[in-house]
Amino acid sequence: MDTNIEVKKGNTISAFLAGFMVHGTQLGVGVLGFQRIIAKESGHDAWISVIMAGLVTHLTVWVIVKTLQKYPSADIYGIQVDVFGKWIGTSLGVVYLTYFFMSAGVVLRTYIEVVQTWVFPNLPTWILSAIILILAFYTVLGGIRVVAGYTFFSVAVTIWLICDLYFPLQFAQWEYLFPILDANMEQLFKGMVAMSLTSIGFEVIYAVYPYVQNKERVVSSTQWAILVTYVIYTLVMVVSLVFFSQGQLMRTIWATLNLKKMVYLPIMERFELVGISVWLLVVLPNIMIFLWASARGIKRLFGCNLRRSLYWILPIIYIASLALLTRQEMNRLNDIYSKIGMYVAYIYPYFLYLMVIIKQRAKRAKEGASDASIPE
């Protein structure tokens, strides 16, 4: 497998859209119920853990982009083969593409659970799963430009949903935030880890980078994307902490949806149902981007085209979505996914960056020794 990717001029995107893709993968179903998980670890200082997680994510994304800048025309699959060799690199590539389509499956099944819990309790899983996957399939076939365009459209038409935080703020009890720094550093760190796992998805830049035109702007676009994501998460967390007591928050699985129940409009009684329906526009980019990154991995490693790769991936995700039926099974899946995501998104990038530096320095040292051995 060639390390570099030959990208056609008509199949590239701007760094601006790459930032939207990073943001689109981070802000999905996790924002609907992440508060309880963080507050369980760090209490009413959970908002501090969110900010800490944002700082760590900024650093991690910077390391990822710095790694990619050393291979301007390569993705994660090619870099790993170059650094670790054919067999180990290919094996790590299989791990990554599996992780990507597992991410798509987790997002899909979690959203279906929300719909079945709040809107249509008797809706069969197979119907909604099939509809969403078919929509994702035809979009991904259009290539990265179509996926990026849809992601931009999704963010543009759903960003207004953040405005509904005004309604629960009318009932805010600001004393719930005090005393500040009541949690110790261990508790804040555990909350930070839990928050980090809520917002994973930025690692798709590993697959997107070769298709970006103005690569010199990727650092700024991705950093802005992370900043916007964590500003939203912080706002939602603060509003949740001042609206719910700690006891209420510990018993609330979908805290953000409960906040939306406070929205009162004369023409609409249950705004959260509208929010869940519109949220499909937020969830679809998650699934599309992860599917595209996984299918690209199969094409890069094994030579299958995009359509054939999706023929392998989609049935696996579809069958898996039907197998998970209970809340306990979903919790188990999310726990497994979170542990994998910690290593893939937050630990492995630093290791890979170190190995890339060692590899390139060893290569330069070898070339220098070869040049010195040539007689003048």
Side-chain angles (χ1 to χ4, degrees):
M1 183 186 74
D2 294 333
T3 302
N4 296 327
I5 300 176
E6 294 184 6
V7 181
K8 297 179 181 179
K9 189 175 181 180
N11 196 31
T12 57
I13 61 173
S14 66
F16 177 75
L17 287 178
F20 271 89
M21 294 182 75
V22 170
H23 172 74
T25 53
Q26 285 191 292
L27 202 67
V29 288
V31 73
L32 299 179
F34 73 102
Q35 299 95 318
R36 177 177 61 90
I37 301 171
I38 318 303
K40 183 179 179 181
E41 301 294 345
S42 49
H44 57 259
D45 286 327
W47 63 276
I48 301 177
S49 294
V50 174
I51 294 174
M52 291 169 59
L55 296 175
V56 172
T57 304
H58 275 290
L59 178 60
T60 304
V61 172
W62 181 84
V63 168
I64 290 175
V65 176
K66 286 299 179 182
T67 303
L68 291 166
Q69 286 177 343
K70 297 182 180 297
Y71 292 87
S73 300
D75 56 9
I76 182 65
Y77 306 107
I79 293 173
Q80 290 179 143
V81 170
D82 182 67
V83 173
F84 300 108
K86 179 180 178 181
W87 296 109
I88 297 178
T90 301
S91 299
L92 291 172
V94 171
V95 171
Y96 243 94
L97 68 88
T98 303
Y99 166 75
F100 281 138
F101 79 71
M102 181 182 179
S103 300
V106 170
V107 172
L108 170 68
R109 190 60 186 88
T110 304
Y111 179 73
I112 291 174
E113 183 189 19
V114 173
V115 173
Q116 291 174 333
T117 302
W118 287 79
V119 188
F120 300 114
N122 298 320
L123 178 67
T125 301
W126 68 269
I127 293 179
L128 189 54
S129 180
I131 292 173
I132 293 175
L133 288 178
I134 289 173
L135 288 173
F137 171 74
Y138 281 105
T139 305
V140 173
L141 283 183
I144 189 171
R145 289 174 65 91
V146 176
V147 175
Y150 182 85
T151 304
F152 174 79
F153 167 79
S154 167
V155 175
V157 301
T158 58
I159 195 67
W160 61 271
L161 287 172
I162 196 69
C163 298
D164 61 25
L165 294 176
Y166 163 77
F167 292 91
L169 272 180
Q170 298 177 76
F171 305 95
Q173 301 291 327
W174 293 99
E175 61 270 18
Y176 287 165
L177 292 178
F178 299 97
I180 296 176
L181 290 177
D182 186 45
N184 58 41
M185 284 306 301
E186 181 182 359
Q187 292 171 322
L188 291 175
F189 178 78
K190 288 181 178 179
M192 180 192 72
V193 171
M195 182 61 224
S196 300
L197 298 176
T198 302
S199 59
I200 54 179
F202 53 84
E203 62 277 8
V204 295
I205 196 65
Y206 271 135
V208 173
Y209 186 79
Y211 299 88
V212 179
Q213 300 166 352
N214 46 343
K215 293 181 171 61
E216 69 280 359
R217 297 185 180 179
V218 172
V219 172
S220 61
S221 64
T222 52
Q223 294 297 325
W224 273 107
I226 301 297
L227 178 62
V228 171
T229 298
Y230 273 93
V231 166
I232 293 174
Y233 272 119
T234 304
L235 287 174
V236 174
M237 176 58 80
V238 170
V239 174
S240 301
L241 289 172
V242 298
F243 181 80
F244 298 104
S245 68
Q246 283 295 299
Q248 290 172 330
L249 196 55
M250 291 301 100
R251 296 190 300 270
T252 305
I253 297 177
W254 308 107
T256 304
L257 293 178
N258 279 277
L259 292 177
K260 292 184 183 300
K261 292 175 70 173
M262 301 308 300
V263 177
Y264 173 76
L265 298 173
I267 60 173
M268 191 177 303
E269 184 175 351
R270 297 192 63 186
F271 183 77
E272 74 274 12
L273 300 185
V274 176
I276 293 171
S277 302
V278 174
W279 212 253
L280 178 60
L281 297 177
V282 179
V283 170
L284 272 173
N286 281 248
I287 298 172
M288 293 171 183
I289 296 170
F290 286 129
L291 283 177
W292 176 85
S294 181
R296 282 296 307 173
I298 294 177
K299 181 177 181 179
R300 291 276 286 145
L301 297 174
F302 306 109
C304 296
N305 60 35
L306 194 65
R307 181 183 290 269
R308 189 175 300 175
S309 300
L310 291 172
Y311 286 158
W312 284 96
I313 296 170
L314 292 180
I316 297 175
I317 296 176
Y318 183 69
I319 294 171
S321 70
L322 301 182
L324 299 168
L325 300 176
T326 66
R327 172 80 263 198
Q328 291 73 22
E329 290 173 339
M330 285 300 302
N331 284 335
R332 196 176 304 117
L333 173 66
N334 286 324
D335 288 341
I336 294 172
Y337 175 67
S338 296
K339 292 176 182 177
I340 296 173
M342 171 57 72
Y343 290 102
V344 172
Y346 281 98
I347 296 177
Y348 180 69
Y350 294 93
F351 172 73
L352 181 61
Y353 182 56
L354 178 63
M355 295 303 297
V356 167
I357 292 175
I358 294 173
K359 169 83 174 180
Q360 294 195 343
R361 286 183 178 178
K363 184 178 180 181
R364 285 196 296 267
K366 185 177 180 180
E367 291 174 351
S370 299
D371 293 340
S373 63
I374 299 176
E376 296 182 0

